[in-house]
Amino acid sequence: MIEIAAMHEECYMKEKCAKYEKCPMVLVQDIISGKWKILILWYLSYSKLRFSDIQRKLPNVSQKVLSRQLKSLEEANVIHRKVYPVIPPKVEYSLTDVGKKLIPILEMMHKFGTEYLEKELNK
C-alpha cells in the first residue's frame, strides 16, 4: 500500500485517484499505448472494419503486430471482435460502448494535431 501512496503523491489529482490501486492516467496509457492503437481506434470511431480494411489503412504495420494490438484492445474491452461463421472466415471489429467513450478524446487529439500543423504552416 505504501508503494501506491508514493505513486499518487506525485500526481496533482492525488485526492481524486489515491483510492485506486492504479493511477487512472497509467490505466489509460496502458490501454491506448502502442504504435498503432490510437489510429486503430480513430478508424473504428466512424465505422466497423474488417481486419483487411484496417490493414489497408495502416500499410506499414505487419499482420502480427496488428493482430496483437487488436487483441490488446479487445482484452481491454475497448473494441469488439465479431466472427461470422462463413468460409472464408469474416471478422469484423467495432468499438464497444467503453471504446465509444474515447471518441471525444480522439477528436480532441485530431483537433490539436490540426491546430499544431496550421501553426507550423503559418510560421
Side-chain angles (χ1 to χ4, degrees):
M1 214 48 191
I2 295 169
E3 189 176 310
I4 294 166
M7 174 185 66
H8 288 295
E9 195 58 39
E10 299 298 318
C11 180
Y12 78 95
M13 298 284 282
K14 62 185 170 193
E15 286 77 29
K16 290 187 178 187
C17 65
K19 64 183 177 184
Y20 304 113
E21 277 195 40
K22 187 173 213 173
C23 172
M25 287 302 290
V26 172
L27 173 68
V28 173
Q29 179 184 6
D30 289 349
I31 291 170
I32 66 172
S33 68
K35 188 170 181 178
W36 305 103
K37 286 182 182 178
I38 291 173
L39 290 175
I40 292 167
L41 293 168
W42 180 244
Y43 292 131
L44 290 175
S45 72
Y46 52 88
S47 68
K48 294 177 184 178
L49 295 171
R50 294 177 68 173
F51 184 89
S52 59
D53 297 327
I54 299 169
Q55 203 167 28
R56 260 193 300 282
K57 292 178 180 294
L58 302 170
N60 297 324
V61 63
S62 71
Q63 184 172 344
K64 180 180 176 181
V65 170
L66 180 56
S67 293
R68 270 193 305 213
Q69 300 269 285
L70 289 165
K71 184 166 184 61
S72 175
L73 289 167
E74 184 182 5
E75 287 171 353
N77 193 34
V78 175
I79 65 170
H80 174 72
R81 179 178 185 263
K82 182 172 183 178
V83 180
Y84 292 90
V86 294
I87 298 177
K90 177 183 173 184
V91 178
E92 193 173 71
Y93 294 91
S94 60
L95 294 179
T96 62
D97 289 341
V98 172
K100 288 175 184 175
K101 291 180 180 183
L102 289 168
I103 293 173
I105 297 166
L106 296 169
E107 289 172 340
M108 285 189 284
M109 292 170 72
H110 184 272
K111 182 180 178 192
F112 171 83
T114 301
E115 290 171 357
Y116 186 90
L117 290 170
E118 287 297 321
K119 185 177 180 181
E120 290 297 308
L121 288 174
N122 294 320
K123 274 189 173 180

